[in-house]
Amino acid sequence: QYQQLITHGKAAAMPLSTLQEKLLWEEIAIDWNRKQSLANALLRPTVAAANAANAWQTLNDWLLDGSSLESFMWQAETRLLLEWMDTFSQRCDDKGVISHCRIPELLLEAYKRDEIAIPEQLVVAGFDDYTPLQQAFLAQLESRGCELFELEQTINESKACLTSCTTPEQEVEAAAAWASRGLQNNPNARIGVVILDLQQRSKQVARIFRYHLHPERIVQEDSDQPRLFNITLGQPLSEQAIITDAL
């Protein structure tokens, strides 16, 4: 609906994409870092930029501005954040763009001034809680006659258990045996197993799961027949046959 504001001449700034906004924050952090002495320079300015962007998002979600941080001005991090926020706002104005987290508040004001049409119905889903901005946004819509519906999520009952194993290989063995039992009880089940260092252990994992799910293929792998499991990890380029021969 922000596009409606642009079309009707009520707004001119173009929204930044997620990537553009990320790069703008990083540009600000890097430019600031270049002006600092070696002792004061940030070791990881891009990480600081990401933290500043998150803080900017949080302040907007809670309908706060820089003045809300006045009691923390004794902290160097707070002063730097406010400096970067001012720089970010100025650069957005200079470039004729707007941060995506500023758009909901602008839409809220536009609703109050009847500058854009109110939707007849709105369905919200997947929210555990609402930020003050979201609460104000929904309250304004509802007060103007929009019907709000919250999509109820189906909660499936599940059981969690903890099993200890002596070695990482035993962990994979236990997981493969558990998956095999699950498929025996329900052949149509979709089962997922998360392995932290899968890239380093993909061959071992494939061997163990093949043993439990396809014991008939232990001696000889028949690639023409579909398997009951799939390892969603690309093989490193260095292990491809043609690359191995070239190396």
Side-chain angles (χ1 to χ4, degrees):
Q1 286 192 306
Y2 181 73
Q3 187 61 43
Q4 292 184 29
L5 292 179
I6 296 177
T7 303
H8 297 154
K10 301 299 182 180
M14 298 302 296
L16 288 168
S17 69
T18 302
L19 177 59
Q20 289 171 330
E21 189 157 340
K22 174 179 179 291
L23 292 176
L24 182 53
W25 280 108
E26 290 181 356
E27 177 186 279
I28 292 169
I30 292 172
D31 287 349
W32 180 90
N33 220 34
R34 287 177 181 150
K35 300 174 183 178
Q36 307 307 308
S37 65
L38 187 61
N40 294 329
L42 300 171
L43 294 177
R44 303 170 65 187
T46 55
V47 174
N51 291 334
N54 289 335
W56 169 262
Q57 175 76 62
T58 301
L59 287 171
N60 280 276
D61 285 344
W62 286 79
L63 298 174
L64 300 173
D65 56 24
S67 62
S68 62
L69 302 177
E70 287 182 356
S71 58
F72 301 98
M73 288 297 289
W74 58 273
Q75 294 180 334
E77 292 85 353
T78 301
R79 296 194 297 274
L80 181 57
L81 173 61
L82 292 175
E83 179 184 338
W84 285 6
M85 284 169 49
D86 288 342
T87 304
F88 180 82
S89 297
Q90 185 60 54
R91 292 193 183 185
C92 284
D93 291 342
D94 293 343
K95 296 174 184 292
V97 295
I98 185 172
S99 168
H100 71 279
C101 58
R102 296 282 299 141
I103 292 177
E105 188 174 356
L106 293 182
L107 290 178
L108 178 60
E109 294 302 318
Y111 286 142
K112 294 178 180 178
R113 296 191 298 265
D114 286 329
E115 292 178 347
I116 52 177
I118 299 288
E120 294 182 0
Q121 294 181 337
L122 181 66
V123 179
V124 293
F127 288 88
D128 293 327
D129 198 4
Y130 296 100
T131 66
L133 176 58
Q134 291 167 342
Q135 291 173 0
F137 191 87
L138 295 176
Q140 179 64 25
L141 290 178
E142 193 169 29
S143 69
R144 302 294 301 280
C146 176
E147 289 187 272
L148 298 180
F149 300 94
E150 188 164 1
L151 188 64
E152 295 185 4
Q153 300 184 40
T154 303
I155 301 177
N156 298 321
E157 293 187 4
S158 60
K159 295 181 180 179
C161 64
L162 180 65
T163 301
S164 61
C165 300
T166 305
T167 65
E169 184 172 356
Q170 287 182 357
E171 289 182 342
V172 179
E173 289 276 4
W178 167 77
S180 178
R181 292 192 299 271
L183 289 174
Q184 289 173 8
N185 295 330
N186 181 8
N188 295 321
R190 294 173 62 85
I191 300 173
V193 177
V194 179
I195 299 177
L196 183 61
D197 52 351
L198 180 58
Q199 184 161 2
Q200 290 75 31
R201 303 170 57 196
S202 59
K203 292 182 179 179
Q204 179 193 69
V205 170
R207 172 179 58 79
I208 293 173
F209 272 80
R210 187 166 59 246
Y211 175 83
H212 285 275
L213 300 180
H214 290 287
E216 74 281 0
R217 298 187 187 181
I218 294 176
V219 178
Q220 183 176 2
E221 170 72 18
D222 186 358
S223 60
D224 294 333
Q225 298 297 321
R227 296 190 307 184
L228 292 176
F229 70 95
N230 176 57
I231 298 178
T232 55
L233 176 71
Q235 187 179 24
L237 188 62
S238 60
E239 294 184 11
Q240 301 291 337
I242 187 171
I243 302 299
T244 302
D245 290 343
L247 295 175

